[in-house]
Every structure is written in C-alpha cells, then in structure tokens.
Amino acid sequence: MNHRRTARPTTPLAPVTLDDVRGARKMLAGVARVTAMEGSRYLTQLVGSPVHLKCENLQRTGSFKLRGAYVRIAGLLPEERAAGVVAASAGNHAQGVALASALLGVRATVFMPKGAPLPKISATREYGAEVRLHGQVVDETLAAAQEYARTTGAVFIHPFDHPDIIAGQGTVGLEILEQCPEVRTIVVGMGGGGLAAGIAVAVKALRPDVRIIGVQAAGAAAYPPSLAAGRPVAVELPTTMADGIRVGRPGDVPFAICAELVDEVRTVSEDALSAALLLCLERAKLVVEPAGASPVAALLSDTEGLEGPVVAVLSGGNVDPVLMERVLRHGMAAQGRYLAVRLRLTDRPGALASLLGALSVVDANVLDVSHVRTDPRLGLTEAEVELHLETKGPAHCAEVGQALRDAGYTVIG
C-alpha cells in the first residue's frame, strides 16, 4: 500500500540543514565507514532500470546507527560527557551508542528488553556499555532509560528524535549522491524516521528532483495515519518481525522533516520482508535483517513509480540466527521451495518406505518426518505422517501433491 504526503506538519521544519549533515560527515571521518554500493541484476530486471544496494549492513556495529549516535555524543558538553549517557534499544541503536561512547571515552548504560536477542546483548556489552535488561517491549525499556536519566543526570540518547542524530544519519545521503550521481529514486526503511529524515535533508538540498520513498512494515505503520493527521500519531501494539522499524510513533523531529521532504511512504507485508531477506542472502550474498531488507521488499511488492536508477538502503544486518532460520523457512515456503504436507496411510510394515519412494520419483527432498501411530482420531490400521519437503517452486509443489494422490494417499493438510 502506498501513501503520498497528504498534510503539512503542524510544527515548523526542524533545524537540520545540509551544513549540519556536512559537519557530521567531517566528525565521522575515520569513525564510520563509507559503505559499499552494490548493483543488483535481479532487481534491475524486475524494476526495468538500474537498482543499487547501499550496504549499511556492512557498517561498523552492523547498521547505520553508529553515525547518529557518534555525532550526538561527540556534541555533548564536557560536563554532560562526565555524567555519562543512557540509551534504550532492542539492538542496533544500543550497539551504536556503546561503540560511540567507547570511542569518545564516555560511560554508557544501555537498557534493552528482556527478550532482546542474545547476540545483540553480547555485542553491546563487548563494545563497553553496561547493559540492563528491563521490560518486555521497547516502550517499557525506553521509559526505564528515561527514568534513569532523570535520577542520575546521564544524558539520554534518543534513537531518532534529535537533530544531531538525524544529521549523522544524513551522511548516508551524501554518500549515495557521490556513489550514484545519476540516482532518481531512493528507497529507505522507516521506524521513527531518523534515517529517512537525514537522507531527505541531504539529498533534497542538493538534488530536489530525487524521489524519496519511505517503507514501513504493515503491522507497524505509524507514518501513514500521522501524515494524514498532520502530526505524529501512535499505533497500538505495532507487530512485525522487523524489530528495527517496529516503532509505534514517529519522532517529532523526524516527522516534521519527513512530512516536508519524503515523497511517499509504502507499507510491506511480512511475506514480502521474508522474501526480501532471502533474496539479499541468495542473490546479493548479503546478510540483512528484516528492517534492512524492507526497501527490497517494497521493490518486490510494487515497481510502480520507481524511476531509475534506484538506490535501496540496506540499513542493517544484525539478525538473530534463530529469527534468520524462521524467516528463511517462511520465505522459502512463500516461494514454493518448502512444503509441509500431512497425510494418512495404512499402518503396516514398509508403508513409510513406500511413501518416501513415491516422493523420490518426483525429486522432492525430505527434510523432516513426523510419524504418529497412536491418536484417537486415527483408525485402528491408520497412521498419520507429516513431511517437511524441499521443493523447487509452486509448480513442483503441485506435482508433489498430485503424485501423492495418484499413489493412493489421502492428503489431509
């Protein structure tokens, strides 16, 4: 679903300028990497014009977040640095703040949800921050971090709602214009909106003709209703696998900028996010988290209005291995490359071997077998088998189902 700007913000444009972004870039010299820009032949064929991937998943700490965090902390007064900083994050911002603080010699405390992935917790600690686990969702964690700031005097480093954060993220936009001077469309994921706002400030100042499209997960899309209302509006219980953009309310500062400068906001489904992550891994050989893959999901979902060359910003690559396994399996199933089938057969010696033989004829690779013989739903001579199969696409899935029916098996799911 696509949403164009429908209202101007009720507050004046936030004080983030091209000069601020350029200043941030000087500050980040030798700290943040100038990340690679890679072409994608598959997406180019799909869109019908050149598509490039801006690989912020290869940034230090695995995401763009280091840029804004470093600029924000580097700009603190000496007495503020002495008080230390505090942040709240499920992962990427936490690591960005931790590394930036370590580089600048500032004490950092990071609050993370109790359910945060272990690799992200470990990485944040290894960068030197004190990690405190609090709450089940980021909103609870955020409240705890803000309370800590009030009681200790530590400076709260917001993940997206501050001009310095936005200026730091805007350095991605400067790099895009230098690496792909002919760019016509930039597609970028949006949670609170800090990255999209920063890119928009930099790019629109230098190339107002470039179209900027923000992307949100459909289950956590706060920008469309906010743009319609002309002010930030919260959505209840944002739900998506893309934790990097699972934000219930846009930030005031980035919203004012995005409402003015971002041309369109699109939403993508969980299936599209799964397919995008799988595509990045298989076709581009890049490990990308679901939030980072959201621009690719938008390209897979709708190629309308994508004048090329197109740059899709892969904002991060910090994906939990457990989530990666689940998402990849979901993406494979959506593409017809993974099939779960349940059927009943006669419970006799050799019955399972005969079933597997029927599958070998159609070249279906068996990944897992569950064989149930005792269940009140089954007849005295029946057994139920659930098979997880590796298949070669929707046509092959249909061929497998037909082969089982032709062999006399009753497929029940």
Side-chain angles (χ1 to χ4, degrees):
M1 184 179 296
N2 307 338
H3 301 268
R4 299 180 185 276
R5 295 198 310 265
T6 56
R8 296 295 185 186
T10 56
T11 57
L13 188 64
V16 182
T17 67
L18 177 61
D19 286 342
D20 294 328
V21 179
R22 285 173 166 163
R25 186 173 192 181
K26 291 180 181 178
M27 197 177 293
L28 288 167
V31 175
R33 295 172 181 157
V34 176
T35 52
M37 180 88 76
E38 300 286 346
S40 171
R41 184 172 61 182
Y42 179 87
L43 291 173
T44 292
Q45 293 174 341
L46 178 68
V47 174
S49 59
V51 175
H52 305 280
L53 305 175
K54 176 60 172 169
C55 300
E56 281 297 290
N57 59 309
L58 302 179
Q59 184 57 262
R60 295 179 72 178
T61 75
S63 86
F64 71 97
K65 289 288 190 177
L66 172 65
R67 298 175 184 263
Y70 187 90
V71 173
R72 173 76 172 100
I73 298 171
L76 296 178
L77 298 173
E79 57 269 27
E80 291 176 318
R81 290 196 190 191
V85 300
V86 60
S89 168
N92 288 346
H93 180 59
Q95 293 173 69
V97 168
L99 178 56
S101 298
L103 294 173
L104 292 164
V106 177
R107 184 178 70 258
T109 302
V110 177
F111 285 76
M112 303 181 74
K114 293 179 180 179
L118 290 177
K120 294 185 178 183
I121 295 173
S122 298
T124 303
R125 284 178 172 147
E126 288 169 7
Y127 286 127
E130 177 188 351
V131 174
R132 299 191 180 191
L133 302 180
H134 183 90
Q136 300 299 327
V137 297
V138 175
D139 287 344
E140 295 174 354
T141 308
L142 185 65
Q146 291 171 325
E147 177 62 24
Y148 179 89
R150 284 191 292 269
T151 57
T152 66
V155 179
F156 178 65
I157 307 299
H158 200 284
F160 49 80
D161 205 8
H162 193 281
D164 289 349
I165 295 287
I166 293 170
Q169 320 305 28
T171 58
V172 176
L174 295 180
E175 292 177 16
I176 290 173
L177 293 181
E178 293 172 357
Q179 294 170 314
C180 185
E182 66 279 14
V183 62
R184 298 290 298 170
T185 304
I186 297 174
V187 188
V188 55
M190 298 176 74
L195 178 60
I199 290 175
V201 167
V203 171
K204 290 291 189 178
L206 296 169
R207 287 279 308 281
D209 59 304
V210 173
R211 184 172 178 78
I212 297 177
I213 298 175
V215 183
Q216 293 208 286
Y223 263 88
S226 297
L227 290 171
R231 58 181 175 78
V233 174
V235 296
E236 294 185 7
L237 299 175
T239 304
T240 175
M241 71 176 79
D243 59 340
I245 54 175
R246 190 171 60 221
V247 177
R249 181 186 182 277
D252 293 334
V253 179
F255 175 77
I257 296 172
C258 291
E260 185 73 20
L261 300 179
V262 172
D263 296 284
E264 183 182 352
V265 176
R266 300 186 176 189
T267 58
V268 294
S269 68
E270 299 298 285
D271 283 349
L273 288 168
S274 296
L277 190 150
L278 185 60
L279 184 145
C280 288
L281 185 63
E282 285 193 323
R283 299 299 182 98
K285 315 306 177 190
L286 292 169
V287 175
V288 183
E289 62 189 275
S294 60
V296 175
L299 301 187
L300 295 176
S301 301
D302 185 1
T303 60
E304 182 182 355
L306 298 175
E307 182 181 356
V310 176
V311 172
V313 182
L314 306 182
S315 59
N318 293 317
V319 57
D320 179 26
V322 175
L323 176 62
M324 170 72 87
E325 181 183 12
R326 190 165 71 246
V327 169
L328 289 179
R329 182 162 290 192
H330 183 79
M332 291 175 67
Q335 294 183 2
R337 296 171 54 192
Y338 177 85
L339 177 65
V341 60
R342 188 159 45 94
L343 49 83
R344 290 182 182 174
L345 44 74
T346 302
D347 186 15
R348 57 175 175 77
L352 184 57
S354 297
L355 170 60
L356 298 179
L359 290 170
S360 69
V361 172
V362 289
D363 201 25
N365 186 32
V366 179
L367 301 175
D368 189 33
V369 178
S370 175
H371 191 195
V372 178
R373 303 176 64 189
T374 56
D375 190 300
R377 297 172 301 170
L378 299 175
L380 184 62
T381 60
E382 288 183 320
E384 185 172 293
V385 176
E386 182 173 328
L387 301 163
H388 293 180
L389 309 173
E390 183 180 10
T391 47
K392 303 173 183 178
H396 190 211
C397 289
E399 182 184 358
V400 170
Q402 189 59 51
L404 291 173
R405 286 187 288 271
D406 290 346
Y409 294 104
T410 301
V411 179
I412 59 176

